[in-house]
Structures are given as structure tokens and as C-alpha cells.
Amino acid sequence: MAAGNSGREPFVIIVGDPCGEFVRATIRLAQQYEVEAVPCEDVYSAVAVMAGAGGRQALVVGMMQDLAKEDSQFFRIARANALRCCCVVDRGLAAGSRGVLAALQGGAALVGSGPEVDAVFTDWLSNGSGRTARMTLRDLTDEDLRATEAELSALLGQGTDV
Amino acid sequence: MDRRVCEVRENILDGIDAAVRQRFEAVAIVMEGTSSQLGSALKALRRSTTARIILLARMCEEPIARRLMSESPGAVRLADGYVVCPTCLASLALHAGVQTEAPVPPPSSQPGSQASEPQSQPPREWEERLRYLEQLATTDDLTGLKNRRYLWEFARQILDRARRTSGRVTLLVFDIDNFKHYNDVYGHLTGDEILRQVAVLMRRCCRPHDVVGRIGGDEFATIFWDDPHLAAAERSPDGPEMPHERRSAAAERPPEAISVVKRFQQALGNTDLHLLGPGGEGVLTISGGLASFPRDGSTVEQLFERADQALLDAKRSGKNRIYLVGEPQSDIANLE
């Protein structure tokens, strides 16, 4: 089970019921950031995807009850693969529960609800994913824009009058 | 080069991780201790590797293993084979000539380590050796049924499980009436053939997951037990549950075991044993005792002892009858 064909680009593994709202919302979020999303129905599939990823950076997103199956071993394996985990924790779950402790030991980011995943996503994309941050036109300086114009002209074989 | 024949991982997730990374030819999974999500794990393994998937089952897990490797239309066959391990995996593997290694620490503690080349012995070859050893250890060579050792160990395992799941286990111990006479008059070869025919007939009358074995001589035993997967599938969600206080002794009788044994007696009565001459049809009968867990005993020893006692009572009362333990003179032929 290889994750897509996007070479070395980072991707997101989303663990949970593929028809559930959480997975669908996280896929939409990934699309928004133009990141490949690989839905996995459980931790077993997620581990298989991680192992087949061949060193590609990935963020694993899932609900605590899904990721903590099999004695929370998943967090250790994700950490061993240098993958970041983002875990949505049910508010009712005890802070000292085994799953939470294992997630923290595995370096997972814990959030309280689905929408909070966005912040972890942004942080991972800019710091942990290894991907060059995408910029909008507003992020470019005048100098960048002039350089871009010059590159474009060169590509099109036209002279510039800068 | 460090050539590893076989790698051992301590849990199913590490196993999937290793199997996908190292592309083993075969992956063997010890069913004991795996969670109820074994099906999901096998599905993930099947999708992500081309390895043959072999299940290492305890005796009481054999029906589940069989089901996981059965092919149903539209469904993925989750396992390619299974081996019932009466003893622990390590010693079995050792005797089969397979070299195993200690669990490998997770990759994080082995920076820069490379996956070693797995397996120098073809997995099919050692799988065959495992099967051969398993057969030697567990089968009665005359009848092909399970042997006494298997029955005893199976009973121990299934009682352990029944204690946890409030399941029911019923033991039938029976022997062939007048077998010594047949042996003396027609010879040992005929005696052996009678034993074989009785074995085939009993196996045919039982449900697939019931365990039939020969204890020794002309004495046989059958262990009837609840298969939780079957029970779950057959249980009606709205089915009325009989209140506990209304359960009578009759309700606690093992209906499946009784109906199997009646069917067997009937089949035996219709069998024409040419070996016993022209009057060979219907001459063969059995006597036996049925003991149920938890009603009649809580250990293997107790159940065998009480079923044996009921068998002796049946013999003393005139043979050709099966008695229920705890219900004196209650030949199952007279039960509705």
C-alpha cells in the first residue's frame, strides 16, 4: 500500500472511519493546503502506509480512540519513523490515561477538536514537513516580483527593459 | 553478511511495519494475544505485502483460523494457511529447524541499520515440517482422529476460555459395545477397521468445530463447544433471553451435543459392517457419558472422570445408551 505517486512530497495519513465527518473534514483541510491525503481505516493500515512511504514525511491525524488501539504502540512506531502525529482527544478522556501518556511520549500534538487540527497542520507544513512554504502574491517583495518577471521573460525568450 | 532466517516481533503493529519494509516471503502471526481486530490487521497486511500469511493458532482458535483463510465471494482471503501449535512457537520452530532471533529493537534505537536479508530456508519447506510435527504430536495414527494428548490440551484451553466468556463445553466419552468380542472373533485387523469406521462416522456427524479423538483402545471422546463467532452470527438481537430463575435442569442440558450424539447412534445403526458377516447391519452400538462445564465439573480431570463414570453406569445398565452426568438413568434416547 504505497502512498500516492507524489515522489518526496509530504503527505497526511488520516486514521478513522473513511465515511466519518472527521476524516472527510481532514481530507478537505489537506486539499486546501495542496497536500496528498491518504485515509486509513485503522492503525494497521496506517502502519502499513507509514512503512511503505520510503522516508517521505507524513503527518498522522486521528482520534485518540483510533490511534491508541493495540496498547498505544502506534505512537512509538510513528516516532521511530520520525513522523509527526496529531491526535484529537475527547474532552471526557482522563488526562493521565495510557493513550494520552503514550501519545505525549511519542511526541504527538494533542488537540481538543477537529478544527484545531488546522493549527498543527500549518505548523507541520512550515516547520516539520520538509516542504518549502508556499507563498501567496502578497508575501512577495517588489524585488521578488521583478526577479520573477525577469525569469518569465527569459523563459519566453523575450528581452527585458529593466 | 548477517543472514536472518526468521525475525520475531512482539506485537502486530511492529509485525506489519517489518513485513512491509523487508518484504518477507511469509509472515506468521501468533493468534494468541492478538486483539479482536485480527481481521483488520490481516487486511492491512494483505493489501500492503505479497507475503504468504500463516496463522499460528492455539487449538481452540483453529475454527477462527480456518474461517480467516476461507474464501468467500467478494471478500479477501485474509490468510493463506494456519498451523495449530500445541506447544509454544519457539520450541516448535526450533524442532522444525527454523532459527529464530530475539525481538529486534525498534528502528529508532538502531540508527543506520539496514534490513538484513530475510530467510535462507524456504518458508514452505519449514511450514511442511511444522505440519508434520504437529500431526505426529496430535493425531491418532490408526483413525486419523485427534489423540489423547490433543484432547486433553484442547479441553484445558477451551475450559480456560469458557471460564472467561461464560461459554459451555460438553464432553462425551464413549466406547464400542462388545468390542473385545469382535476383536477376538474376527481378528485385530477387523477390530482396527471397526475403529476406523466409527471414527469416520462420528466425525461426519459432528459440527466442524467439535473435536473428536480416540483416547485409547475402543474408547473415544468428543468435545462440543460454543464457537463465539458462530454464536454471534446466529444470535438474534431481539431473541428472548430466558430468565435465569426459570432455567430448569432440562434447559441446562447441552442440546447440540445431544442431537449430534443421537445422530451418530442412528448413523451407526444404519451402517452395514460387511466385516462382521451377513448380519453386520446395525449390530454396532455404543455406550457413553456426557458431562458439561460448568454444570458437572470445572476442570478437565473432573469432566473426564464424571463422563467416564456415566459411561460405566451405561454399561452396567445394559449398554447401547448415553447417560447424562447428574441425571441418573437418563439415556438421551428418551429425551425430547
Side-chain angles (χ1 to χ4, degrees):
Chain A
M1 198 190 308
N5 296 313
S6 310
R8 310 297 303 166
E9 281 288 294
F11 69 109
V12 182
I13 298 170
I14 306 161
V15 183
D17 175 7
C19 303
E21 181 48 34
F22 172 74
V23 170
R24 284 188 293 172
T26 314
I27 289 174
R28 283 196 295 274
L29 186 66
Q31 284 167 344
Q32 205 176 305
Y33 287 100
E34 296 175 33
V35 174
E36 184 191 1
V38 180
C40 293
E41 56 195 15
D42 47 46
V43 280
Y44 311 103
S45 304
V47 166
V49 169
M50 277 161 29
R56 273 176 77 188
Q57 282 299 315
L59 172 70
V60 186
V61 183
M63 307 287 285
M64 175 59 88
Q65 66 264 32
D66 292 326
L67 297 181
K69 275 179 187 153
E70 293 293 345
D71 214 12
S72 305
Q73 297 286 343
F74 181 79
F75 299 110
R76 179 184 53 74
I77 295 171
R79 188 184 184 129
N81 287 295
L83 300 186
R84 183 101 179 262
C85 277
C86 173
C87 196
V88 182
V89 183
D90 192 332
R91 301 252 181 235
L93 195 70
S97 76
R98 270 185 91 169
V100 170
L101 291 176
L104 289 172
Q105 277 169 355
L110 302 184
V111 295
S113 66
E116 289 176 43
V117 174
D118 196 349
V120 179
F121 217 105
T122 319
D123 180 56
W124 171 70
L125 278 175
S126 47
N127 299 317
S129 69
R131 186 172 92 167
T132 314
R134 290 176 196 274
M135 289 188 284
T136 63
L137 273 178
R138 258 176 286 166
D139 296 323
L140 297 173
T141 60
D142 286 349
E143 203 175 319
D144 292 328
L145 284 172
R146 272 197 294 279
T148 308
E149 192 183 341
E151 283 165 17
L152 192 62
S153 301
L155 273 173
L156 296 171
Q158 294 165 2
T160 56
D161 50 7
V162 179
Chain B
M1 183 194 288
D2 171 26
R3 285 178 72 86
R4 282 182 191 156
V5 178
C6 175
E7 280 193 12
V8 180
R9 302 285 169 158
E10 278 178 343
N11 63 66
I12 191 86
L13 289 181
D14 281 320
I16 294 172
D17 187 55
V20 176
R21 283 172 197 286
Q22 302 190 36
R23 281 178 260 165
F24 288 102
E25 281 181 50
V27 177
I29 296 164
V30 179
M31 289 178 72
E32 186 180 4
T34 52
S35 71
S36 55
Q37 312 246 347
L38 183 60
S40 306
L42 294 177
K43 223 182 275 177
L45 204 53
R46 179 59 96 208
R47 281 198 218 119
S48 51
T49 73
T50 54
R52 275 169 54 74
I53 299 172
I54 311 296
L55 300 170
L56 303 177
R58 286 181 303 160
M59 293 162 185
C60 62
E61 290 159 340
E62 190 174 1
I64 301 164
R66 207 183 299 135
R67 191 157 305 140
L68 286 169
M69 61 168 288
S70 66
E71 286 184 74
S72 53
V76 186
R77 188 179 187 227
L78 294 178
D80 298 302
Y82 71 88
V83 179
V84 175
C85 300
T87 54
C88 78
L89 166 68
S91 71
L92 200 64
L94 209 68
H95 284 99
V98 177
Q99 181 191 336
T100 57
E101 297 209 344
V104 178
S108 59
S109 57
Q110 295 180 316
S113 68
Q114 294 293 309
S116 59
E117 193 177 322
Q119 293 142 346
S120 63
Q121 188 177 9
R124 275 174 205 272
E125 191 181 313
W126 64 258
E127 195 187 320
E128 278 166 19
R129 293 202 68 186
L130 281 178
R131 285 196 188 286
Y132 177 64
L133 285 172
E134 178 204 329
Q135 196 186 343
L136 280 184
T138 62
T139 310
D140 170 51
D141 64 342
L142 178 68
T143 59
L145 295 178
K146 300 299 184 190
N147 63 14
R148 186 181 186 282
R149 184 186 296 120
Y150 185 101
L151 281 170
W152 208 264
E153 179 58 22
F154 180 87
R156 195 187 59 74
Q157 288 183 14
I158 206 69
L159 286 184
D160 271 353
R161 207 182 69 164
R163 268 182 219 108
R164 291 195 306 272
T165 60
S166 307
R168 178 151 64 185
V169 179
T170 302
L171 171 71
L172 165 72
V173 176
F174 69 93
D175 72 10
I176 301 168
D177 295 329
N178 309 315
F179 182 73
K180 189 178 178 307
H181 166 75
Y182 299 131
N183 236 350
D184 292 345
V185 174
Y186 299 97
H188 288 282
L189 288 179
T190 301
D192 287 353
E193 190 50 38
I194 290 172
L195 293 174
R196 272 193 285 267
Q197 292 207 18
V198 166
V200 168
L201 218 51
M202 186 56 179
R203 187 60 274 173
R204 209 177 283 162
C205 292
C206 284
R207 302 167 300 176
H209 62 274
D210 295 329
V211 174
V212 187
R214 178 169 162 244
I215 299 174
D218 63 324
E219 198 171 22
F220 295 81
T222 304
I223 300 169
F224 302 95
W225 58 292
D226 302 327
D227 179 347
H229 289 249
L230 272 181
E234 286 166 4
R235 197 181 300 129
S236 158
D238 308 316
E241 184 79 2
M242 190 187 284
H244 202 266
E245 61 273 17
R246 281 181 52 207
R247 285 180 191 162
S248 60
E252 286 181 4
R253 285 176 190 146
E256 301 88 0
I258 290 173
S259 85
V260 169
V261 180
K262 279 182 171 178
R263 198 157 61 229
F264 172 56
Q265 286 179 296
Q266 202 176 358
L268 207 55
N270 294 333
T271 301
D272 190 359
L273 283 170
H274 300 294
L275 299 161
L276 303 181
E281 186 176 345
V283 294
L284 218 54
T285 57
I286 57 160
S287 298
L290 273 169
S292 287
F293 168 88
R295 194 182 78 156
D296 306 321
S298 57
T299 65
V300 180
E301 291 78 6
Q302 283 170 357
L303 287 180
F304 268 96
E305 197 183 315
R306 302 206 68 188
D308 255 337
Q309 189 55 53
L311 160 64
L312 285 177
D313 291 345
K315 288 275 184 206
R316 285 192 201 110
S317 310
K319 301 180 184 174
N320 191 19
R321 63 201 67 200
I322 307 289
Y323 278 170
L324 285 166
V325 168
E327 296 183 49
Q329 310 293 306
S330 59
D331 182 7
I332 61 166
N334 303 324
L335 301 177
E336 284 296 309

